[in-house]
Amino acid sequence: MSNPFFICRGNIIYAGDRNRLTVHEDSYLVVKDGIVEGIYPVLPEQYASLEVKDYGRGLIIPAFTDLHVHAPQYVQRGIGMDVLLSDWLNQYTFPQEARFADMEYAKNVYDAFVDDLIRQGTFHAAIFATIHREATDYLFARLEEKGLYAFVGKVNMDVHSPDCLCETTEESLRETRRYLESHTSCTTVKPILTPRFAPTCSRELMHGLGKLSREFHCGLHTHLVESKWEAAEALRLFPECRSDAEIYEQAGLLENGPSIFAHVIFPSEEDVRILKKYHGVSVHCPDATTNIIAGIMPTAALQDQDLAIALGSDVGGGHQLAIYRQVSRAVQMSKLKGFYEPENNHAVSFAHAFYLATKAGGSVFGNVGSLEKGYRFNALVIESMEDKGLTLSPEERLERFCYTGDDRNIVARYLSGAAVE
């Protein structure tokens, strides 16, 4: 019988709330059956005979959560970053996504994407695939095989889309049903409904997805008021609605699981009201914001209104999968937002941004994203963040990692207490 305990020692750091980092220097973390049992300055007597994995001055932190990422766009990261959203979609993204009708191509891209998620320490993610059900099934299986936590969506598009990515309404609903039916007994990876955004979905499709949402008790992952063009186009196509969010509310898509909205850069009061009503999560994607969207989420102002917020890479609008870099970028973007639009906007602290990338985003998947008692031990060990002759506090080393580190500084990875090789 295998030992249910795992014990490690080091500098343990996490964000229990958005206002501060919790730090346990030179302490022991005890895991039982994959769950954090406790953190101790001195190892309790009952564990004295058990092996301890000693990481010395290393940082033991929660694994990261990417709450908005496009897996098929992994191979286009860092390409076409000099155009805005509409042109970027038509010139780069839609032609790229059309290639996922080819399963050999899809497998190669999705294998690389999943491997890089793990390498960058992202163990929980909300993921867009494409309209192609077979390729989406493959991505789902690869994530499950690795034990990662994810919501994966087969994308829906039936209007105002290029021919190579435009489904009929009937086909989109039929293939989505088949996708949901094939994943009813899943574990850490779950299906989620993924209309690309309102401008590419007919009213009939939206309401059909709402019926599937109720039948399969399935959540929603989409884009919301991500650009002025998208927000205006959504209301032009759905004139009976007062806001972008109301389109999804009227379709019945917000009541049956987590509602994850990417970007939320130009929310109206009605958007905010609906997001609060249904506990929707707004996902800030700083790199994509500056690369192709040309707007900055009012992160602090939305948080002050008690909206749930998390971070996403939005690869390939974002150019890298490393969510720890989005932590630093979120701080930078909040400073710019506060400088140019000082009313109701203020800077986000590093602790707050780290919280968004760990506990806040992780909450969509349950008790992951922290190292508090009762949380699953999905964790990373970070080393080598000090210059020769310079001693930094754990908080300073964590901040430096998020600004200047990379995957080479992640020396160990754990999922449910088991080492990830």
Side-chain angles (χ1 to χ4, degrees), residues 225 231 234-235 238-247 249-250 267-271 273-274 277:
V225 289
L235 296 185
F238 293 84
E240 72 277 14
C241 295
R242 294 167 293 174
S243 73
D244 202 350
E246 189 177 355
I247 297 169
E249 181 184 43
Q250 286 196 8
S268 67
E269 290 184 8
E270 184 67 5
D271 287 317
R273 183 192 69 78
I274 291 171
K277 178 180 178 180

Side-chain angles (χ1 to χ4, degrees), residues 42-283:
V42 178
L43 190 64
E45 183 62 31
Q46 68 262 37
Y47 306 124
S49 63
L50 300 178
E51 180 182 355
V52 175
K53 184 68 175 177
D54 193 343
Y55 286 108
R57 287 181 50 75
L59 303 179
I60 302 169
I61 67 171
F64 292 103
T65 297
D66 187 341
L67 221 54
H68 180 64
V69 59
H70 293 256
Q73 296 174 21
Y74 177 72
V75 291
Q76 69 179 90
R77 64 201 187 283
I79 298 172
M81 302 284 92
D82 56 349
V83 298
L84 294 180
L85 180 62
S86 183
D87 288 337
W88 179 79
L89 288 171
N90 289 301
Q91 293 175 27
Y92 298 95
T93 301
F94 290 157
Q96 159 65 19
E97 290 193 8
R99 299 188 66 182
F100 282 74
D102 177 351
M103 277 302 297
E104 196 61 34
Y105 182 78
K107 288 178 180 180
N108 288 336
V109 175
Y110 285 156
D111 285 347
F113 168 78
V114 172
D115 287 346
D116 202 11
L117 274 184
I118 294 170
R119 184 162 52 249
Q120 301 297 343
T122 299
F123 292 169
H124 329 109
I127 304 171
F128 264 60
T130 64
I131 66 170
H132 310 96
R133 179 181 55 79
E134 186 178 0
T136 306
D137 282 336
Y138 179 81
L139 172 62
F140 193 108
R142 287 289 290 142
L143 291 159
E144 250 190 344
E145 176 188 319
K146 295 293 187 179
L148 299 178
Y149 288 66
F151 286 104
V152 180
K154 176 219 163 298
V155 173
N156 301 102
M157 303 166 67
D158 72 332
V159 294
H160 309 299
S161 302
D163 291 343
C164 58
L165 283 178
C166 197
E167 312 163 287
T168 66
T169 307
E170 296 76 14
E171 177 188 16
S172 189
L173 291 172
R174 183 182 66 247
E175 290 297 284
T176 301
R177 172 178 287 278
R178 291 181 65 186
Y179 176 66
L180 297 177
E181 287 175 340
S182 65
H183 299 297
T184 56
S185 59
C186 45
T187 54
T188 58
V189 183
K190 301 180 187 300
I192 196 165
L193 293 170
T194 310
R196 186 175 211 107
F197 52 13
T200 61
C201 296
S202 67
R203 187 175 290 99
E204 183 182 358
L205 177 57
M206 284 289 200
H207 285 267
L209 292 174
K211 292 177 182 178
L212 290 175
S213 175
R214 291 187 289 275
E215 181 179 347
F216 290 91
H217 202 72
C218 195
L220 170 74
H221 182 195
T222 190
H223 303 88
L224 194 77
V225 289
E226 65 174 317
S227 72
K228 291 182 178 180
W229 164 79
E230 185 269 334
E233 188 70 1
L235 296 185
R236 185 182 73 81
L237 296 169
F238 293 84
E240 72 277 14
C241 295
R242 294 167 293 174
S243 73
D244 202 350
E246 189 177 355
I247 297 169
Y248 302 97
E249 181 184 43
Q250 286 196 8
L253 281 162
L254 304 183
E255 305 169 8
N256 306 293
S259 298
I260 302 169
F261 295 103
H263 306 304
V264 195
I265 295 171
F266 303 103
S268 67
E269 290 184 8
E270 184 67 5
D271 287 317
V272 171
R273 183 192 69 78
I274 291 171
L275 264 62
K276 289 179 70 172
K277 178 180 178 180
Y278 295 98
H279 308 288
V281 182
S282 302
V283 187

Side-chain angles (χ1 to χ4, degrees), residues 13 59 385 391-401:
I13 185 166
L59 303 179
M385 296 313 304
T391 300
L392 299 176
S393 70
E395 297 96 324
E396 290 170 329
R397 280 181 279 150
L398 179 61
E399 183 177 14
R400 174 173 280 186
F401 169 70

Side-chain angles (χ1 to χ4, degrees), residues 9-49:
R9 173 183 166 272
N11 292 286
I12 301 154
I13 185 166
Y14 58 88
D17 58 50
R18 72 188 199 188
N19 297 313
R20 63 186 178 86
L21 297 172
T22 298
V23 182
H24 298 267
E25 291 194 61
D26 192 16
S27 295
Y28 297 86
L29 189 150
V30 177
V31 178
K32 182 179 180 182
D33 295 323
I35 306 297
V36 176
E37 188 279 328
I39 297 172
Y40 306 95
V42 178
L43 190 64
E45 183 62 31
Q46 68 262 37
Y47 306 124
S49 63

Side-chain angles (χ1 to χ4, degrees), residues 324-325 327-328 331-332 350 398-405:
Y324 47 88
R325 289 295 175 81
V327 173
S328 58
V331 176
Q332 293 170 330
F350 173 76
L398 179 61
E399 183 177 14
R400 174 173 280 186
F401 169 70
C402 290
Y403 276 84
T404 70

